[in-house]
Amino acid sequence: MIAMALMGVAGYGAIFFFPSVPVFIVATAFVIPFFQSVSSLIFVGVRAESATLPGREAAAINATVRAFMSASWLIIPAAMGLAFAGSARMMGAWGVAGLCARPSLMHLCVAQSPADMFWTERRSISG
């Protein structure tokens, strides 16, 4: 998963730093799709890690992770639209996408599993 998250940083960054048609085609067709699979793998990992928990607890964990992952699809497009509304070019959006892929990469590098990510956050919130 770390390699796939790194591909997102590389793919989005390549489009931003080297704006050309061939770079765009290669990045969107061959590099960025690997990054897009990280979300699905996070869901799979959370489900596998929570499989031994009681039903309600496992369902709560899965629902929370899905809600946070889904929130990004609501917040980021709106924020990008507002940020670049007055801009003549949208190239900055590719740079922002590359920056947004970095936390995914960094989180995967330090976390042992997706469930560990959830429990660490839950403990820090609950005190």
Side-chain angles (χ1 to χ4, degrees):
M1 281 187 7
I2 292 170
M4 287 188 265
L6 183 59
M7 292 180 90
V9 174
Y12 290 126
I15 292 171
F16 180 71
F17 289 114
F18 309 106
S20 67
V21 173
V23 170
F24 179 82
I25 291 171
V26 169
T28 57
F30 300 112
V31 180
I32 295 173
F34 286 100
F35 173 68
Q36 298 298 330
S37 69
V38 171
S39 298
S40 299
L41 293 174
I42 289 173
F43 293 142
V44 168
V46 168
R47 190 160 179 93
E49 291 287 330
S50 63
T52 59
L53 299 174
R56 289 182 89 105
E57 206 168 318
I61 291 170
N62 285 311
T64 303
V65 170
R66 287 187 184 279
F68 277 103
M69 297 293 283
S70 297
S72 67
W73 288 98
L74 297 171
I75 296 167
I76 297 299
M80 300 279 37
L82 290 172
F84 293 105
S87 176
R89 295 179 43 154
M90 292 295 293
M91 286 305 295
W94 294 103
V96 172
L99 291 175
C100 288
R102 288 183 60 207
S104 298
L105 173 64
M106 290 184 293
H107 206 114
L108 289 170
C109 288
V110 298
Q112 294 176 1
S113 71
D116 290 339
M117 291 183 242
F118 174 80
W119 288 114
T120 302
E121 293 299 321
R122 187 171 177 189
R123 283 187 208 112
S124 68
I125 291 170
S126 63

